[in-house]
Amino acid sequence: GTKPLEGFSSPMLVVAAARCTPWRSGNAVEPLFAGQQVFDSMFATIAAARRSIFLETYTLEATGPGERLADLLAQKAANGVDVRVMFDSFGSLRTGRSYFESLAAHGVQVREFNPVRPWHKRFRWALNQRTHRKLLIVDHEVAFIGGVNISRVYSSGSSGGRPATAQAQCPWRDTHARLRGPIVADLQTLFLEHWFEQGGTAIAAPEMAEALRRAV
């Protein structure tokens, strides 16, 4: 099982600094170092969701892990889980609109962060106002945060680098973490701030009360 990991507190520090909240102990952190390891852990947690799935990401591609993600989210929404997805308009610019329309048609609530397309009804020309967060919060109990987008770029494993091309030969790595404890409520608060800012609907009162109870 997941155990607290001393010395791996950067996600907590970031949230504490952003929210000006006091340091709270009792968090369990599991670092995830390879892209496929991140996806496997995230998707297993999503598959086990019973109440809610909140996802915010910069890049959300329709193929690769994005295809598997869409299938899982549609299944959970059909089972009555509250599924909400927020993607960055610029970071996901190459993803076809049909992908997000399909999610919505299956009962997933979808919000586009600061749309950059001039024909979008909520258009705001704000290329420099992006969300680079990669957040996943499931059942108000488990959260994921780090540098891994929903993209095929990460599927081959972070330590191996990007697919071999003339432009990308150097090794690289993005790290992610699976979290439990009071920090989950903090991360959920950050998600909801963007969600409401972008016109998203509120969480039902019983669900919010449950989230607050589990954060104590």
Side-chain angles (χ1 to χ4, degrees), residues 91-149:
S92 303
L93 196 61
R94 295 183 179 180
T95 303
R97 308 307 296 174
S98 60
Y99 178 83
F100 302 110
E101 291 169 356
S102 177
L103 285 176
H106 283 89
V108 177
Q109 298 186 57
V110 180
R111 305 306 301 178
E112 181 177 4
F113 187 87
N114 283 1
V116 298
R117 295 173 175 83
W119 57 88
H120 195 286
K121 64 181 180 181
R122 296 188 64 255
F123 166 67
R124 284 182 288 172
W125 190 254
L127 286 176
N128 63 326
Q129 297 178 18
R130 314 291 2 131
T131 175
H132 285 273
R133 295 175 183 170
K134 293 88 178 176
L135 287 177
L136 172 65
I137 303 105
V138 177
D139 287 345
H140 319 299
E141 296 179 345
V142 182
F144 292 80
I145 187 172
V148 177
N149 288 285

Side-chain angles (χ1 to χ4, degrees), residues 49-107:
R50 304 182 306 278
R51 291 178 295 275
S52 61
I53 301 167
F54 301 156
L55 174 67
E56 179 175 354
T57 188
Y58 179 68
T59 301
L60 176 50
E61 293 181 352
T63 56
E67 185 174 6
R68 174 60 177 151
L69 175 68
D71 290 340
L72 281 171
L73 296 182
Q75 292 171 17
K76 302 313 290 189
N79 291 334
V81 175
D82 181 5
V83 183
R84 305 176 186 226
V85 172
M86 181 180 300
F87 65 96
D88 186 79
S89 181
F90 189 77
S92 303
L93 196 61
R94 295 183 179 180
T95 303
R97 308 307 296 174
S98 60
Y99 178 83
F100 302 110
E101 291 169 356
S102 177
L103 285 176
H106 283 89

Side-chain angles (χ1 to χ4, degrees), residues 14-53:
V14 169
V15 172
R19 302 285 303 151
C20 296
T21 56
W23 179 275
R24 290 189 288 175
S25 61
N27 295 301
V29 183
E30 177 188 357
L32 304 168
F33 298 113
Q36 193 57 51
Q37 182 186 29
V38 173
F39 296 137
D40 288 346
S41 184
M42 288 175 58
F43 293 166
T45 303
I46 289 172
R50 304 182 306 278
R51 291 178 295 275
S52 61
I53 301 167

